[in-house]
Amino acid sequence: MRAGSGSTSTWTYFSTATRYALLEHSRNRLALVLVIFYLPLWISLGHVVITSAEARFLLRATNETITAPGNNISNISGALNAVTLIVGFMMFSVTFTAGRFDHRLAMAGYPRAHLIAAKLAALLIASVLTSAYATAVVCCYWHPRQPWLLGLALATGALTYGGFGVMLGATLRGELAGMLLIIMTSIIDTGLQSPIANPIADNDIVRYLPSYGAMQAAVTAGFRDSFPVFYLLLGPLWFLGAVVVAGIAFHRQTRDRRPALFG
């Protein structure tokens, strides 16, 4: 009975926190507008404006340099830039806005682990839906070899920046600073990896960028038939690091600082 009761309480805590986290996302009208309109606009402009002339891309995932239409590569980098920016912004906004309420819940006895797990569950849902939508838009213009892998690659990039959003929301005190950090990091990250925007995108330094694994996996999905397991795992590693930092910050901010009473 006790085990069942504990299991029920655990699920209740988690499901309740997840429901409210998703509700907060649904109230973020700017994020919804970005998903519905900005994402397809950015991908469409990349396809229409960028030249279709062949561009070279160093695909380390398959140890080769490939040539592909520039607007198709631009579609991939644009889709990755869009999902990382949007999901990162969504998670930062929700974490930052709900920060004080989460602190009060934790101080009142609500399990911290369930609050964090709920945000991660909401992040996973947002990443999957946004990446699936971005993949569908890309497929409106051309046919990647592995559309499902493209969606998976975009989702790993979204998870990475969603983790960054949670981390920044838990550590920063200024909303504008967090938004600017996410925007600039995403632009620099994907821009340096695109051979259209950066003629020396094959420089070794790009291997240390957060969305490097996602970009390599996405390009592989577009033009090759292999499955780059190692590169798909790079994004989740960045995500785990960000979540650990966020968890430590949240624990420190919500610990009981009242002096212990003796006697």
Side-chain angles (χ1 to χ4, degrees), residues 1-27:
M1 292 293 292
R2 291 183 179 178
S5 177
S7 177
T8 301
S9 297
T10 297
W11 172 250
T12 301
Y13 281 132
F14 172 72
S15 61
T16 301
T18 302
R19 185 167 64 253
Y20 278 102
L22 292 174
L23 183 61
E24 285 295 322
H25 281 300
S26 68
R27 291 174 176 171

PDB file of all heavy atoms in Angstrom, residues 1-27:
ATOM      1  N   MET A   1       0.817  -1.202   0.000  1.00  0.00           N
ATOM      2  CA  MET A   1       0.000   0.000   0.000  1.00  0.00           C
ATOM      3  C   MET A   1       0.858   1.262   0.000  1.00  0.00           C
ATOM      4  O   MET A   1       0.610   2.198  -0.710  1.00  0.00           O
ATOM      5  CB  MET A   1      -0.930   0.011   1.210  1.00  0.00           C
ATOM      6  CG  MET A   1      -2.017  -1.055   1.155  1.00  0.00           C
ATOM      7  SD  MET A   1      -3.195  -0.736  -0.184  1.00  0.00           S
ATOM      8  CE  MET A   1      -3.965   0.750   0.433  1.00  0.00           C
ATOM      9  N   ARG A   2       1.875   1.202   0.847  1.00  0.00           N
ATOM     10  CA  ARG A   2       2.738   2.386   0.909  1.00  0.00           C
ATOM     11  C   ARG A   2       3.433   2.638  -0.416  1.00  0.00           C
ATOM     12  O   ARG A   2       3.568   3.774  -0.856  1.00  0.00           O
ATOM     13  CB  ARG A   2       3.770   2.225   2.020  1.00  0.00           C
ATOM     14  CG  ARG A   2       3.158   2.257   3.425  1.00  0.00           C
ATOM     15  CD  ARG A   2       4.235   2.156   4.480  1.00  0.00           C
ATOM     16  NE  ARG A   2       3.672   2.206   5.814  1.00  0.00           N
ATOM     17  CZ  ARG A   2       4.382   2.102   6.918  1.00  0.00           C
ATOM     18  NH1 ARG A   2       5.721   1.922   6.838  1.00  0.00           N
ATOM     19  NH2 ARG A   2       3.805   2.154   8.094  1.00  0.00           N
ATOM     20  N   ALA A   3       3.924   1.558  -1.039  1.00  0.00           N
ATOM     21  CA  ALA A   3       4.621   1.728  -2.319  1.00  0.00           C
ATOM     22  C   ALA A   3       3.686   2.297  -3.365  1.00  0.00           C
ATOM     23  O   ALA A   3       4.028   3.190  -4.133  1.00  0.00           O
ATOM     24  CB  ALA A   3       5.185   0.374  -2.782  1.00  0.00           C
ATOM     25  N   GLY A   4       2.445   1.756  -3.376  1.00  0.00           N
ATOM     26  CA  GLY A   4       1.486   2.265  -4.356  1.00  0.00           C
ATOM     27  C   GLY A   4       1.161   3.720  -4.103  1.00  0.00           C
ATOM     28  O   GLY A   4       1.048   4.527  -5.010  1.00  0.00           O
ATOM     29  N   SER A   5       0.981   4.067  -2.808  1.00  0.00           N
ATOM     30  CA  SER A   5       0.666   5.443  -2.458  1.00  0.00           C
ATOM     31  C   SER A   5       1.795   6.379  -2.853  1.00  0.00           C
ATOM     32  O   SER A   5       1.576   7.463  -3.394  1.00  0.00           O
ATOM     33  CB  SER A   5       0.386   5.550  -0.960  1.00  0.00           C
ATOM     34  OG  SER A   5       0.144   6.894  -0.592  1.00  0.00           O
ATOM     35  N   GLY A   6       3.042   5.943  -2.598  1.00  0.00           N
ATOM     36  CA  GLY A   6       4.190   6.766  -2.970  1.00  0.00           C
ATOM     37  C   GLY A   6       4.281   6.941  -4.464  1.00  0.00           C
ATOM     38  O   GLY A   6       4.579   8.030  -4.959  1.00  0.00           O
ATOM     39  N   SER A   7       4.003   5.866  -5.213  1.00  0.00           N
ATOM     40  CA  SER A   7       4.039   5.951  -6.669  1.00  0.00           C
ATOM     41  C   SER A   7       2.972   6.893  -7.184  1.00  0.00           C
ATOM     42  O   SER A   7       3.205   7.688  -8.095  1.00  0.00           O
ATOM     43  CB  SER A   7       3.840   4.546  -7.264  1.00  0.00           C
ATOM     44  OG  SER A   7       3.807   4.607  -8.668  1.00  0.00           O
ATOM     45  N   THR A   8       1.785   6.822  -6.586  1.00  0.00           N
ATOM     46  CA  THR A   8       0.699   7.713  -6.989  1.00  0.00           C
ATOM     47  C   THR A   8       1.049   9.163  -6.704  1.00  0.00           C
ATOM     48  O   THR A   8       0.806  10.050  -7.519  1.00  0.00           O
ATOM     49  CB  THR A   8      -0.595   7.332  -6.250  1.00  0.00           C
ATOM     50  OG1 THR A   8      -0.928   5.978  -6.545  1.00  0.00           O
ATOM     51  CG2 THR A   8      -1.735   8.241  -6.668  1.00  0.00           C
ATOM     52  N   SER A   9       1.635   9.424  -5.544  1.00  0.00           N
ATOM     53  CA  SER A   9       2.019  10.787  -5.200  1.00  0.00           C
ATOM     54  C   SER A   9       3.072  11.313  -6.158  1.00  0.00           C
ATOM     55  O   SER A   9       3.019  12.473  -6.585  1.00  0.00           O
ATOM     56  CB  SER A   9       2.546  10.828  -3.766  1.00  0.00           C
ATOM     57  OG  SER A   9       1.541  10.451  -2.848  1.00  0.00           O
ATOM     58  N   THR A  10       4.025  10.459  -6.498  1.00  0.00           N
ATOM     59  CA  THR A  10       5.071  10.862  -7.432  1.00  0.00           C
ATOM     60  C   THR A  10       4.474  11.256  -8.769  1.00  0.00           C
ATOM     61  O   THR A  10       4.821  12.294  -9.347  1.00  0.00           O
ATOM     62  CB  THR A  10       6.077   9.709  -7.634  1.00  0.00           C
ATOM     63  OG1 THR A  10       6.721   9.438  -6.395  1.00  0.00           O
ATOM     64  CG2 THR A  10       7.115  10.080  -8.679  1.00  0.00           C
ATOM     65  N   TRP A  11       3.565  10.423  -9.282  1.00  0.00           N
ATOM     66  CA  TRP A  11       2.939  10.731 -10.566  1.00  0.00           C
ATOM     67  C   TRP A  11       2.095  11.997 -10.472  1.00  0.00           C
ATOM     68  O   TRP A  11       2.064  12.810 -11.402  1.00  0.00           O
ATOM     69  CB  TRP A  11       2.083   9.558 -11.023  1.00  0.00           C
ATOM     70  CG  TRP A  11       1.266   9.870 -12.241  1.00  0.00           C
ATOM     71  CD1 TRP A  11      -0.081  10.023 -12.320  1.00  0.00           C
ATOM     72  CD2 TRP A  11       1.776  10.141 -13.559  1.00  0.00           C
ATOM     73  NE1 TRP A  11      -0.465  10.355 -13.598  1.00  0.00           N
ATOM     74  CE2 TRP A  11       0.651  10.439 -14.376  1.00  0.00           C
ATOM     75  CE3 TRP A  11       3.053  10.165 -14.111  1.00  0.00           C
ATOM     76  CZ2 TRP A  11       0.779  10.734 -15.721  1.00  0.00           C
ATOM     77  CZ3 TRP A  11       3.180  10.466 -15.457  1.00  0.00           C
ATOM     78  CH2 TRP A  11       2.067  10.741 -16.249  1.00  0.00           C
ATOM     79  N   THR A  12       1.402  12.180  -9.355  1.00  0.00           N
ATOM     80  CA  THR A  12       0.574  13.371  -9.182  1.00  0.00           C
ATOM     81  C   THR A  12       1.416  14.627  -9.179  1.00  0.00           C
ATOM     82  O   THR A  12       1.085  15.626  -9.844  1.00  0.00           O
ATOM     83  CB  THR A  12      -0.231  13.280  -7.866  1.00  0.00           C
ATOM     84  OG1 THR A  12      -1.052  12.118  -7.887  1.00  0.00           O
ATOM     85  CG2 THR A  12      -1.112  14.512  -7.687  1.00  0.00           C
ATOM     86  N   TYR A  13       2.518  14.603  -8.431  1.00  0.00           N
ATOM     87  CA  TYR A  13       3.422  15.751  -8.407  1.00  0.00           C
ATOM     88  C   TYR A  13       3.932  16.062  -9.818  1.00  0.00           C
ATOM     89  O   TYR A  13       3.925  17.209 -10.265  1.00  0.00           O
ATOM     90  CB  TYR A  13       4.613  15.465  -7.495  1.00  0.00           C
ATOM     91  CG  TYR A  13       4.334  15.621  -6.022  1.00  0.00           C
ATOM     92  CD1 TYR A  13       4.716  14.621  -5.115  1.00  0.00           C
ATOM     93  CD2 TYR A  13       3.720  16.760  -5.519  1.00  0.00           C
ATOM     94  CE1 TYR A  13       4.477  14.766  -3.748  1.00  0.00           C
ATOM     95  CE2 TYR A  13       3.480  16.918  -4.159  1.00  0.00           C
ATOM     96  CZ  TYR A  13       3.853  15.905  -3.284  1.00  0.00           C
ATOM     97  OH  TYR A  13       3.616  16.049  -1.950  1.00  0.00           O
ATOM     98  N   PHE A  14       4.395  15.030 -10.511  1.00  0.00           N
ATOM     99  CA  PHE A  14       4.989  15.218 -11.838  1.00  0.00           C
ATOM    100  C   PHE A  14       3.952  15.690 -12.851  1.00  0.00           C
ATOM    101  O   PHE A  14       4.184  16.653 -13.595  1.00  0.00           O
ATOM    102  CB  PHE A  14       5.635  13.918 -12.309  1.00  0.00           C
ATOM    103  CG  PHE A  14       6.108  13.957 -13.732  1.00  0.00           C
ATOM    104  CD1 PHE A  14       7.218  14.703 -14.087  1.00  0.00           C
ATOM    105  CD2 PHE A  14       5.424  13.254 -14.720  1.00  0.00           C
ATOM    106  CE1 PHE A  14       7.651  14.748 -15.406  1.00  0.00           C
ATOM    107  CE2 PHE A  14       5.850  13.293 -16.034  1.00  0.00           C
ATOM    108  CZ  PHE A  14       6.959  14.040 -16.377  1.00  0.00           C
ATOM    109  N   SER A  15       2.798  15.007 -12.903  1.00  0.00           N
ATOM    110  CA  SER A  15       1.779  15.350 -13.901  1.00  0.00           C
ATOM    111  C   SER A  15       1.215  16.752 -13.665  1.00  0.00           C
ATOM    112  O   SER A  15       0.959  17.498 -14.621  1.00  0.00           O
ATOM    113  CB  SER A  15       0.648  14.311 -13.891  1.00  0.00           C
ATOM    114  OG  SER A  15       0.012  14.264 -12.618  1.00  0.00           O
ATOM    115  N   THR A  16       1.041  17.122 -12.401  1.00  0.00           N
ATOM    116  CA  THR A  16       0.529  18.461 -12.093  1.00  0.00           C
ATOM    117  C   THR A  16       1.519  19.532 -12.528  1.00  0.00           C
ATOM    118  O   THR A  16       1.144  20.526 -13.171  1.00  0.00           O
ATOM    119  CB  THR A  16       0.249  18.601 -10.586  1.00  0.00           C
ATOM    120  OG1 THR A  16      -0.708  17.620 -10.191  1.00  0.00           O
ATOM    121  CG2 THR A  16      -0.286  19.993 -10.265  1.00  0.00           C
ATOM    122  N   ALA A  17       2.793  19.327 -12.195  1.00  0.00           N
ATOM    123  CA  ALA A  17       3.817  20.307 -12.570  1.00  0.00           C
ATOM    124  C   ALA A  17       3.966  20.379 -14.092  1.00  0.00           C
ATOM    125  O   ALA A  17       4.146  21.467 -14.656  1.00  0.00           O
ATOM    126  CB  ALA A  17       5.151  19.938 -11.931  1.00  0.00           C
ATOM    127  N   THR A  18       3.884  19.227 -14.767  1.00  0.00           N
ATOM    128  CA  THR A  18       4.000  19.211 -16.224  1.00  0.00           C
ATOM    129  C   THR A  18       2.825  19.939 -16.875  1.00  0.00           C
ATOM    130  O   THR A  18       3.001  20.689 -17.844  1.00  0.00           O
ATOM    131  CB  THR A  18       4.054  17.762 -16.750  1.00  0.00           C
ATOM    132  OG1 THR A  18       5.168  17.089 -16.150  1.00  0.00           O
ATOM    133  CG2 THR A  18       4.205  17.739 -18.259  1.00  0.00           C
ATOM    134  N   ARG A  19       1.638  19.712 -16.343  1.00  0.00           N
ATOM    135  CA  ARG A  19       0.451  20.371 -16.895  1.00  0.00           C
ATOM    136  C   ARG A  19       0.577  21.885 -16.804  1.00  0.00           C
ATOM    137  O   ARG A  19       0.268  22.609 -17.768  1.00  0.00           O
ATOM    138  CB  ARG A  19      -0.794  19.892 -16.152  1.00  0.00           C
ATOM    139  CG  ARG A  19      -2.101  20.445 -16.734  1.00  0.00           C
ATOM    140  CD  ARG A  19      -3.321  19.723 -16.190  1.00  0.00           C
ATOM    141  NE  ARG A  19      -3.483  19.916 -14.751  1.00  0.00           N
ATOM    142  CZ  ARG A  19      -3.242  18.983 -13.839  1.00  0.00           C
ATOM    143  NH1 ARG A  19      -2.809  17.787 -14.219  1.00  0.00           N
ATOM    144  NH2 ARG A  19      -3.429  19.229 -12.550  1.00  0.00           N
ATOM    145  N   TYR A  20       1.054  22.382 -15.682  1.00  0.00           N
ATOM    146  CA  TYR A  20       1.212  23.825 -15.529  1.00  0.00           C
ATOM    147  C   TYR A  20       2.352  24.368 -16.389  1.00  0.00           C
ATOM    148  O   TYR A  20       2.274  25.489 -16.892  1.00  0.00           O
ATOM    149  CB  TYR A  20       1.435  24.175 -14.060  1.00  0.00           C
ATOM    150  CG  TYR A  20       0.149  24.246 -13.272  1.00  0.00           C
ATOM    151  CD1 TYR A  20      -0.247  23.211 -12.435  1.00  0.00           C
ATOM    152  CD2 TYR A  20      -0.692  25.351 -13.386  1.00  0.00           C
ATOM    153  CE1 TYR A  20      -1.443  23.262 -11.726  1.00  0.00           C
ATOM    154  CE2 TYR A  20      -1.881  25.427 -12.676  1.00  0.00           C
ATOM    155  CZ  TYR A  20      -2.246  24.366 -11.850  1.00  0.00           C
ATOM    156  OH  TYR A  20      -3.437  24.431 -11.166  1.00  0.00           O
ATOM    157  N   ALA A  21       3.399  23.565 -16.580  1.00  0.00           N
ATOM    158  CA  ALA A  21       4.493  23.997 -17.453  1.00  0.00           C
ATOM    159  C   ALA A  21       4.012  24.134 -18.894  1.00  0.00           C
ATOM    160  O   ALA A  21       4.339  25.109 -19.584  1.00  0.00           O
ATOM    161  CB  ALA A  21       5.641  22.995 -17.372  1.00  0.00           C
ATOM    162  N   LEU A  22       3.215  23.173 -19.350  1.00  0.00           N
ATOM    163  CA  LEU A  22       2.666  23.246 -20.703  1.00  0.00           C
ATOM    164  C   LEU A  22       1.677  24.400 -20.830  1.00  0.00           C
ATOM    165  O   LEU A  22       1.603  25.058 -21.882  1.00  0.00           O
ATOM    166  CB  LEU A  22       1.988  21.926 -21.067  1.00  0.00           C
ATOM    167  CG  LEU A  22       2.927  20.725 -21.232  1.00  0.00           C
ATOM    168  CD1 LEU A  22       2.122  19.446 -21.433  1.00  0.00           C
ATOM    169  CD2 LEU A  22       3.875  20.938 -22.407  1.00  0.00           C
ATOM    170  N   LEU A  23       0.924  24.658 -19.759  1.00  0.00           N
ATOM    171  CA  LEU A  23      -0.006  25.782 -19.772  1.00  0.00           C
ATOM    172  C   LEU A  23       0.743  27.099 -19.915  1.00  0.00           C
ATOM    173  O   LEU A  23       0.305  28.003 -20.647  1.00  0.00           O
ATOM    174  CB  LEU A  23      -0.843  25.775 -18.491  1.00  0.00           C
ATOM    175  CG  LEU A  23      -1.929  26.858 -18.372  1.00  0.00           C
ATOM    176  CD1 LEU A  23      -2.943  26.707 -19.492  1.00  0.00           C
ATOM    177  CD2 LEU A  23      -2.615  26.769 -17.009  1.00  0.00           C
ATOM    178  N   GLU A  24       1.886  27.215 -19.232  1.00  0.00           N
ATOM    179  CA  GLU A  24       2.698  28.427 -19.354  1.00  0.00           C
ATOM    180  C   GLU A  24       3.195  28.598 -20.792  1.00  0.00           C
ATOM    181  O   GLU A  24       3.221  29.716 -21.318  1.00  0.00           O
ATOM    182  CB  GLU A  24       3.885  28.352 -18.393  1.00  0.00           C
ATOM    183  CG  GLU A  24       3.519  28.587 -16.941  1.00  0.00           C
ATOM    184  CD  GLU A  24       3.019  29.989 -16.693  1.00  0.00           C
ATOM    185  OE1 GLU A  24       3.552  30.938 -17.307  1.00  0.00           O
ATOM    186  OE2 GLU A  24       2.077  30.153 -15.905  1.00  0.00           O
ATOM    187  N   HIS A  25       3.587  27.507 -21.429  1.00  0.00           N
ATOM    188  CA  HIS A  25       4.029  27.586 -22.827  1.00  0.00           C
ATOM    189  C   HIS A  25       2.885  28.062 -23.729  1.00  0.00           C
ATOM    190  O   HIS A  25       3.102  28.864 -24.645  1.00  0.00           O
ATOM    191  CB  HIS A  25       4.528  26.221 -23.302  1.00  0.00           C
ATOM    192  CG  HIS A  25       5.918  25.900 -22.848  1.00  0.00           C
ATOM    193  ND1 HIS A  25       7.007  26.687 -23.177  1.00  0.00           N
ATOM    194  CD2 HIS A  25       6.398  24.880 -22.102  1.00  0.00           C
ATOM    195  CE1 HIS A  25       8.101  26.157 -22.643  1.00  0.00           C
ATOM    196  NE2 HIS A  25       7.756  25.071 -21.991  1.00  0.00           N
ATOM    197  N   SER A  26       1.691  27.538 -23.492  1.00  0.00           N
ATOM    198  CA  SER A  26       0.553  27.908 -24.339  1.00  0.00           C
ATOM    199  C   SER A  26       0.189  29.386 -24.193  1.00  0.00           C
ATOM    200  O   SER A  26      -0.422  29.970 -25.090  1.00  0.00           O
ATOM    201  CB  SER A  26      -0.659  27.033 -23.995  1.00  0.00           C
ATOM    202  OG  SER A  26      -1.158  27.329 -22.702  1.00  0.00           O
ATOM    203  N   ARG A  27       0.559  29.985 -23.072  1.00  0.00           N
ATOM    204  CA  ARG A  27       0.266  31.405 -22.848  1.00  0.00           C
ATOM    205  C   ARG A  27       1.330  32.315 -23.446  1.00  0.00           C
ATOM    206  O   ARG A  27       1.138  33.538 -23.495  1.00  0.00           O
ATOM    207  CB  ARG A  27       0.153  31.674 -21.348  1.00  0.00           C
ATOM    208  CG  ARG A  27      -1.083  31.048 -20.704  1.00  0.00           C
ATOM    209  CD  ARG A  27      -1.046  31.229 -19.197  1.00  0.00           C
ATOM    210  NE  ARG A  27      -2.268  30.730 -18.558  1.00  0.00           N
ATOM    211  CZ  ARG A  27      -2.427  30.611 -17.245  1.00  0.00           C
ATOM    212  NH1 ARG A  27      -1.431  30.970 -16.428  1.00  0.00           N
ATOM    213  NH2 ARG A  27      -3.550  30.145 -16.751  1.00  0.00           N
TER     214      ARG A  27
END
